[in-house]
Amino acid sequence: MSVPSSRAGAPSVADDASAAGGRFRRSRLVWAAAAAVVVVLVATSNLYGRAEPTGRYRPDLPADVLTTGCYPLPSGVRFDFPYQVRSDEDLSGGRRHLLLQFDVIDPTTARAEVTAAFAEAGFRPSPAGDATSDLVLVRAVSGGSPATVGVTVRPIPGVAPDAVVRGTIDLDLPSVPLSSAAAVCAEPSSTKRFTDEDGSS
Amino acid sequence: MTALATDRVRERGVPLDRRDALPAVMVALMVAHVVLKVLIYSRTSHADVVGDERYYLDAGRALSNLVRDAAALTSPDSVELSRDVVGNGWFMPGMALVLTPLFIVDPGASMEVVRAYLGVVSTLLFFAAVLAVRRVLGVQYAIALLVFPGLVPMWAIFSFAAWGDLTAGTMVVFLVVEVVAMTRVVQQGAAPTLAQGARLGLIAIAVVYLRSSALVLVAGVVATLVIVTLLVLPRSEWVRGAKAFVAAAAVFVALLAPWSWAASDVLGARVVTTTSVPTALANTFGEPDRLCFGPCDPDSTEWFGPVRYAREVARATGGSEVDVLKEMSDYALVGVTASSYTDDVLENVDRYVMEPERFQRFVRSPGVSEDDASERLLSAATHWLFFTALVAGLLGMLRAWRGPLDRQVLRIVTTVGLAALFVQPFVHVSGARYWTTAAPLLALSAVLLLPRAWPRSAQPAEPVVNPVVLHGLYVVQIALAAAVLLLGLALYTVAKA
């Protein structure tokens, strides 16, 4: 058996030193080349036009349906507390179920806010009451039967007292037809009027 | 001379003539890898953008525009950067940075060009990792990488895709190589240099940018190195050693800061790496019908629906969507029990490891049929190579090594790294692309199974390292092996029950 080459045997100190020197030079060369590529890229970056991201991973936040005019609240009603619409659907008998969640305020305040918002638009508490709603409000309609609204305010069970989202407001309203031709009215993400098809997607 | 030569041969554990053949085998495997990639490109090139790839491509486009604005000294398009780079704060833009040069040169690059570019970049990076492994750990380790994942069809398919998992896995190889190289310096009684420290920090932050959940791996591997260094280094060298690690930390933090700052600024809350953890936990273990304090909008996915809801709440309250997401997650997780958690973890483990070829059907040019014989061959090859490597890698984790420090550290960081990646199914919905981050480590672990396949290293004549430390590390290895075994048995028992 002959003397093994340094490749097969343990590398000698001299081999290591020269190999390390070679690596050092090579790594400097690599860094210099990388820097040159970066400089060229930056310098030529405006020659080929701009890139156009699709933006599909962060679509614009859909507008709040109660502000778009697509399916408005009864005329004159405006909620002045933090809420988000969770669902909106037409029921049989010309009624509409609008589900909101209220944020940051407690249920008592939420109930007072909703009542005040309807009161400002001319609704008055109805003595008749209703089996499914906590509170029934009525407004006379000239030449027709009065508009009635059922309001039920509930805390969300199990949320902390200082949580952001605190409770739900179920509104039983008279149905309204689509009242705007805006494109956003066709977006379930804004109107919160979901169909079975939306659920399966 | 003959005796000396024989000694050296015995030391390597491989006969001389076979050792001489190994570099040739390595070159042949590199050629095979390139041939595989060319073949795979022909069935992948027209594959449309899939899932999260959309984000990485959009972010790359937006970053290329940022470079244009910087070069032209105009103010950047902050709306575009917020929307497309920070986005929902889910992903760090590592792959976007990889894609930026392409979008500078070709702003309207087609999918064929994007996939070709990613294929070339991933091959160059993989070969660089293989060569670094050959230099520091030896040719057997390099060959192992070239076989697994180098010959795995699904790995090759992923290498044309824009997800960061595979590239992160390749960068993890550089991390391990750097840690072993630094250990060797320490083993000689010297402190790692500032340059080594800075390089360690650079590699570590690159891994995190490519796959933010690999932060656990980076922390585990670097912590191992720091502890070993402190134990081994003579006190006279401590200050220099500390400087190297401070350099590593400085580079890491300096490069993490732009992302953390931008994401925190855009999303209005403190974001360090990602905002996706609360939703991920809720989606994995929580009650979906509680996530939006009730069901989320049915027209969206389990990822986009909660973010839209959180943005709506933030709009209503003037708060930050990130804070809302955390409260949503807490509320959805209230009903988690030990048994529901265990069931979900088992499902995740299943998704993590049981179908490595799953994405083959997603990343495929239109017109390529699933029933095609070549497609079936690709998935079968992925399947068998993966499970062979998985078993070998896991068995490798059960082996403890006595001997020099670098061997022991390699053994420990391989196990720590794999264990850190296996945290994923315990905290996050798992998918069939996460294995690509772990694959190179599995290969290194599998080599450790071979008799006397320790990494090549010129050992000092006199052992500098305190034998107590070496014994201690040996015990650590045994403890890690026992922990792996126990975890495996526990999962098996629970899964069977």
Side-chain angles (χ1 to χ4, degrees):
Chain A
M1 207 172 191
S2 64
V3 179
S5 69
S6 67
R7 185 167 43 127
S12 70
V13 173
D15 278 351
D16 263 5
S18 74
R23 273 204 301 280
F24 184 64
R25 277 193 299 278
R26 209 163 47 233
S27 92
R28 281 224 308 217
L29 213 64
V30 168
W31 281 112
V37 168
V38 169
V39 169
V40 169
L41 278 175
V42 172
T44 60
S45 60
N46 279 292
L47 295 181
Y48 317 104
R50 283 182 85 80
E52 286 177 12
T54 65
R56 282 159 70 186
Y57 240 55
R58 177 86 172 172
D60 288 336
L61 190 58
D64 170 15
V65 64
L66 300 187
T67 64
T68 55
C70 299
Y71 297 94
L73 290 171
S75 62
V77 177
R78 211 178 73 84
F79 293 147
D80 200 17
F81 58 91
Y83 68 87
Q84 52 280 346
V85 175
R86 296 307 300 137
S87 66
D88 187 5
E89 60 179 330
D90 285 324
L91 307 172
S92 58
R95 302 301 294 173
R96 168 190 184 194
H97 178 219
L98 182 65
L99 175 63
L100 312 181
Q101 288 175 343
F102 58 89
D103 310 316
V104 189
I105 51 177
D106 59 62
T108 315
T109 314
R111 191 184 156 104
E113 289 275 356
V114 175
T115 313
F118 278 101
E120 267 181 42
F123 283 85
R124 296 287 169 259
S126 159
D130 174 322
T132 55
S133 301
D134 287 359
L135 178 69
V136 177
L137 302 160
V138 189
R139 178 169 73 181
V141 176
S142 59
S145 54
T148 57
V149 171
V151 180
T152 304
V153 178
R154 291 277 181 273
I156 293 174
V159 298
D162 60 345
V164 177
V165 181
R166 307 245 176 115
T168 54
I169 302 170
D170 282 274
L171 293 174
D172 173 24
L173 303 164
S175 279
V176 283
L178 176 60
S179 309
S180 162
V184 71
C185 300
E187 304 281 342
S189 57
S190 173
T191 62
K192 308 294 178 187
R193 288 178 172 243
F194 303 110
T195 61
D196 289 344
E197 271 173 38
D198 293 324
S200 64
S201 68
Chain B
M1 275 304 178
T2 308
L4 180 60
T6 317
D7 260 8
R8 283 173 177 168
V9 168
R10 191 180 301 135
E11 186 179 87
R12 297 305 171 73
V14 180
L16 252 188
D17 47 346
R18 269 171 58 199
R19 272 202 74 75
D20 282 341
L22 291 182
V25 171
M26 191 179 121
V27 173
L29 285 167
M30 288 170 92
V31 173
H33 179 72
V34 173
V35 170
L36 175 69
K37 296 253 315 207
V38 170
L39 291 175
I40 292 288
Y41 180 68
S42 68
R43 54 77 73 196
T44 307
S45 58
H46 287 78
D48 197 5
V49 63
V50 183
D52 298 341
E53 282 192 303
R54 278 178 233 285
Y55 163 78
Y56 295 110
L57 264 60
D58 265 358
R61 292 183 181 110
L63 285 175
S64 77
N65 288 341
L66 175 65
V67 172
R68 289 185 182 94
D69 291 331
L73 300 176
T74 52
S75 62
D77 184 342
S78 59
V79 172
E80 184 178 274
L81 290 170
S82 303
R83 187 192 59 192
D84 295 302
V85 181
V86 172
N88 298 322
W90 288 341
F91 310 112
M92 292 178 70
M95 285 309 286
L97 288 165
V98 170
L99 284 160
T100 301
L102 170 69
F103 287 121
I104 289 176
V105 176
D106 184 0
S110 66
M111 278 317 289
E112 286 165 81
V113 172
V114 170
R115 299 221 179 275
Y117 172 82
L118 288 168
V120 170
V121 170
S122 58
T123 296
L124 292 177
L125 196 67
F126 182 57
F127 283 174
V130 166
L131 292 176
V133 163
R134 185 197 177 208
R135 179 165 51 78
V136 174
L137 302 182
V139 72
Q140 290 140 307
Y141 290 82
I143 286 174
L145 280 181
L146 284 164
V147 173
F148 183 84
L151 293 181
V152 178
M154 194 60 231
W155 168 276
I157 295 170
F158 273 128
S159 75
F160 293 105
W163 296 290
D165 313 72
L166 174 141
T167 315
T170 312
M171 287 308 296
V172 167
V173 174
F174 286 103
L175 185 71
V176 170
V177 164
E178 196 63 42
V179 164
V180 171
M182 289 172 83
T183 305
R184 285 190 186 150
V185 174
V186 172
Q187 167 175 319
Q188 312 266 358
T193 62
L194 278 181
Q196 280 182 312
R199 205 159 54 220
L200 182 74
L202 189 64
I203 296 168
I205 191 65
V207 172
V208 173
Y209 260 83
L210 289 162
R211 178 118 194 86
S212 51
S213 62
L215 184 63
V216 187
L217 174 147
V218 168
V221 168
V222 173
T224 306
L225 176 67
V226 172
I227 292 168
V228 166
T229 304
L230 286 178
L231 287 175
V232 169
L233 215 52
R235 278 178 185 265
S236 57
E237 289 289 308
W238 270 21
V239 173
R240 287 187 56 216
K243 279 183 185 165
F245 289 121
V246 168
V251 169
F252 186 91
V253 171
L255 292 175
L256 175 63
W259 164 255
S260 300
W261 175 80
S264 303
D265 186 54
V266 169
L267 299 171
R270 193 166 61 88
V271 179
V272 179
T273 54
T274 168
T275 58
S276 66
V277 174
T279 312
L281 280 170
N283 281 341
T284 316
F285 306 110
E287 175 59 55
D289 280 352
R290 287 169 67 95
L291 185 51
C292 296
F293 294 96
C296 296
D297 291 349
D299 67 326
S300 189
T301 68
E302 61 175 359
W303 299 104
F304 286 96
V307 169
R308 184 205 286 162
Y309 173 79
R311 290 170 74 189
E312 286 173 347
V313 175
R315 175 175 64 191
T317 60
S320 163
E321 65 188 79
V322 177
D323 298 330
V324 178
L325 284 167
K326 285 180 193 144
E327 290 197 12
M328 292 160 59
S329 174
D330 290 345
Y331 188 69
L333 287 168
V334 162
V336 176
T337 62
S339 88
S340 78
Y341 177 78
T342 312
D343 289 347
D344 290 329
V345 168
L346 287 176
E347 256 179 57
N348 280 333
V349 172
D350 193 66
R351 273 195 293 262
Y352 197 120
V353 295
M354 293 317 282
E355 204 187 348
E357 71 280 17
R358 181 176 158 76
F359 272 72
Q360 191 177 320
R361 71 187 85 136
F362 304 130
V363 190
R364 173 157 54 198
S365 299
V368 178
S369 159
E370 196 164 345
D371 287 333
D372 198 71
S374 63
E375 285 295 293
R376 286 201 301 273
L377 178 68
L378 293 184
S379 59
T382 298
H383 204 81
W384 289 107
L385 275 167
F386 175 79
F387 284 105
T388 308
L390 183 66
V391 170
L394 290 176
L395 287 177
M397 287 168 89
L398 299 181
R399 188 167 178 224
W401 267 355
R402 286 182 186 283
L405 192 66
D406 56 344
R407 273 176 219 169
Q408 298 214 30
V409 166
L410 174 64
R411 170 67 285 170
I412 291 172
V413 295
T414 314
T415 304
V416 166
L418 282 169
L421 292 177
F422 203 63
V423 167
Q424 187 92 9
F426 291 85
V427 296
H428 194 294
V429 182
S430 296
R433 58 187 163 80
Y434 296 160
W435 65 266
T436 52
T437 312
L441 277 182
L442 270 180
L444 299 184
S445 180
V447 182
L448 297 170
L449 198 61
L450 296 177
R452 310 174 72 183
W454 49 72
R456 72 190 276 265
S457 66
Q459 295 301 324
E462 294 294 320
V464 179
V465 179
N466 185 340
V468 177
V469 173
L470 292 179
H471 280 300
L473 289 177
Y474 184 61
V475 173
V476 168
Q477 289 184 62
I478 292 171
L480 284 172
V484 168
L485 199 60
L486 277 176
L487 179 68
L489 281 174
L491 278 174
Y492 180 78
T493 315
V494 175
K496 283 281 158 202

